[in-house]
Amino acid sequence: MLSTDLFRVPCPTCGSQMRFSPEKQQLSCDHCGNTQAIPFTKNKLEERPLHGYQVENQQLPNAPMEEKRVFECPNCGARTTVNADLPTITCAFCGTKNVNPEAKNTRLIEPAGVLPFRISREQAIERFKSWVGDDLLAPSDLKAGARPDNFRGIYIPFWTFDAQAYSNWQGEAGFYYNVTIQVPDGKGGTMNQQEQRVRWEPRSGSHSSFYDDILIMASKQLAGQEGTVAEASSYNLTDVVDYDPRFLLGWDAEVYSIDLSDSARRAESTIRAREENACASELGGNVQRGLRVSTQLSNQTFKHILLPLWICAYVYNGKAYQFLVNGQTGRIAGERPKSAWKIALLVIGFILLVLFFYAISKK
Ligand SMILES: [Zn+2]
Ligand SMILES: [Zn+2]
């Protein structure tokens, strides 16, 4: 495999560096408009077996490796690949400009697939502006403050896992029924009353299902905002194609900082939790007790893939906000600043409304 180090595709017409264009879905020269097609293939996009790979001892699996030049941001620690010898690298995560950056050669598991960017910078900005405009409580000047230079398109590393799960379960399902009992009526006699009881029924069974593409993000940089990332990263993985470093031309690409073994463990606990839920619903009943599930996993495989994301770091009133725009679907997630004035007006309006109804009820 070609090393992405010094990976250059000069424009055949003018010699400028080509980049992957999300609008044209091919390489494009910003200088003269020349284009060059990249094949979208799915021949190498194979699952790698997890067995033989010892999750416990961090040993590297039997998968294609590649040597990458990795730049580590001295400010925030983000590790991104360097596509060519650039005099300056701007960190995709914190925006720090680094002159004459030092990049280290690093051996990494090569991505099997990549989901090429579909959302251009302009489209990302448009989505963002309509999103901040949608929020009635957002400050009025927020839309104008979304500066395009704060939008960075970056390929984020992910692991995906497949596994066949087979579970045996046993437990007790409880069913409600009512009995009529006699209770004192407080006047020296008795009266009938309905009382709920539970009939317990031991049950057992088995459940099996195949888990396809359990997605685990491999970026420590984004791990702190997992909820937002999960919201933005609803990707359609059928569009993932064979990894070709040319899809990365002109884009930042982060290298994985959460390794395969940690991610495999997380995928496994996700699968076990889903199996437990599935077994609980098979057990049935109004209530349950003593459910025990034993799950066996087999045919575990993994893939390393890169998925496109726009990261927008944005400062409003001295507070930093980050927004994410899915680079495939344009879906946005993040926190929107709220206008203190608009919230105050809303609260005052609410109080007035309460007072109004209180006054009416007094009449
Ligand atoms: Zn050109
Ligand atoms: Zn940084």
Side-chain angles (χ1 to χ4, degrees):
M1 192 80 229
L2 277 162
S3 163
T4 48
D5 179 27
L6 298 176
F7 194 88
R8 296 187 67 85
V9 178
C11 170
T13 312
C14 74
S16 297
Q17 174 70 25
M18 306 277 276
R19 63 175 193 94
F20 178 73
S21 157
E23 297 100 334
K24 297 174 183 153
Q25 292 291 294
Q26 52 189 344
L27 294 184
S28 159
C29 173
D30 287 342
H31 194 70
C32 73
N34 199 9
T35 57
Q36 191 178 313
I38 312 180
F40 283 58
T41 56
K42 291 187 174 203
N43 307 321
K44 300 180 295 174
L45 202 60
E46 57 183 307
E47 304 278 341
R48 296 269 155 193
L50 251 192
H51 65 255
Y53 164 63
Q54 300 300 315
V55 171
E56 298 310 320
N57 64 20
Q58 307 268 318
Q59 173 203 326
L60 285 170
N62 179 23
M65 307 289 288
E66 66 173 358
E67 188 136 302
K68 276 182 172 167
R69 291 191 75 216
V70 174
F71 162 71
E72 188 168 329
C73 172
N75 184 49
C76 74
R79 302 203 310 154
T80 47
T81 53
V82 183
N83 283 322
D85 265 336
L86 301 165
T88 315
I89 292 179
T90 305
C91 175
F93 288 91
C94 70
T96 303
K97 270 201 164 47
N98 298 274
V99 183
N100 299 322
E102 213 181 281
K104 287 196 190 82
N105 283 352
T106 313
R107 257 177 85 71
L108 296 158
I109 297 172
E110 184 185 80
V114 56
L115 187 53
F117 264 94
R118 280 202 164 271
I119 300 292
S120 68
R121 172 181 298 268
E122 290 67 35
Q123 287 171 310
I125 293 167
E126 276 316 304
R127 301 281 169 115
F128 174 70
K129 287 195 170 166
S130 65
W131 184 71
V132 288
D134 276 352
D135 190 347
L136 290 174
L137 290 179
S140 316
D141 56 344
L142 176 61
K143 237 174 139 172
R147 290 202 316 275
D149 54 287
N150 286 329
F151 282 75
R152 298 178 199 285
I154 179 164
Y155 284 102
I156 302 293
F158 280 82
W159 303 103
T160 77
F161 296 91
D162 291 3
Q164 177 66 50
Y166 183 85
S167 304
N168 280 310
W169 59 265
Q170 57 186 79
E172 285 181 273
F175 298 90
Y176 293 143
Y177 65 97
N178 287 326
V179 289
T180 309
I181 53 164
Q182 305 264 303
V183 291
D185 62 1
K187 297 171 206 153
T190 59
M191 58 184 235
N192 287 344
Q193 193 179 301
Q194 294 287 304
E195 193 182 78
Q196 193 179 64
R197 302 261 171 94
V198 179
R199 174 175 53 81
W200 290 104
E201 193 180 296
R203 289 179 170 185
S204 65
S206 63
H207 177 268
S208 86
S209 73
F210 182 72
Y211 292 85
D212 189 29
D213 287 339
I214 302 282
L215 200 59
I216 305 284
M217 191 189 59
S219 163
K220 266 191 193 144
Q221 235 35 53
L222 292 174
Q225 34 179 327
E226 220 150 351
T228 315
V229 176
E231 203 186 323
S233 57
S234 48
Y235 291 97
N236 179 5
L237 296 181
T238 52
D239 289 343
V240 172
V241 294
D242 289 338
Y243 172 66
D244 181 329
R246 285 177 292 177
F247 286 117
L248 275 53
L249 288 175
W251 301 87
D252 283 308
E254 193 192 2
V255 298
Y256 57 87
S257 47
I258 301 175
D259 65 19
L260 181 57
S261 50
D262 280 351
S263 304
R265 271 191 288 270
R266 288 192 50 197
E268 207 176 305
S269 56
T270 301
I271 292 172
R272 288 183 191 280
R274 289 201 204 166
E275 276 297 291
E276 260 180 50
N277 282 337
C279 293
S281 66
E282 283 199 356
L283 172 58
N286 302 112
V287 281
Q288 301 180 341
R289 71 181 181 194
L291 174 63
R292 274 179 305 166
V293 178
S294 123
T295 302
Q296 228 94 64
L297 299 181
S298 59
N299 295 329
Q300 287 168 276
T301 58
F302 77 93
K303 268 199 317 268
H304 176 31
I305 57 172
L306 300 175
L307 301 178
L309 192 69
W310 284 97
I311 295 179
C312 170
Y314 168 79
V315 176
Y316 182 80
N317 268 350
K319 190 176 183 286
Y321 296 90
Q322 203 170 55
F323 304 86
L324 305 174
V325 183
N326 185 310
Q328 178 194 29
T329 64
R331 190 189 170 98
I332 294 201
E335 192 193 349
R336 282 179 276 205
K338 303 273 184 244
S339 161
W341 269 111
K342 289 181 179 176
I343 290 172
L345 283 175
L346 194 74
V347 170
I348 291 167
F350 180 74
I351 291 170
L352 286 177
L353 206 66
V354 169
L355 288 175
F356 173 73
F357 281 108
Y358 180 74
I360 285 183
S361 69
K362 282 283 174 187
K363 279 185 181 172

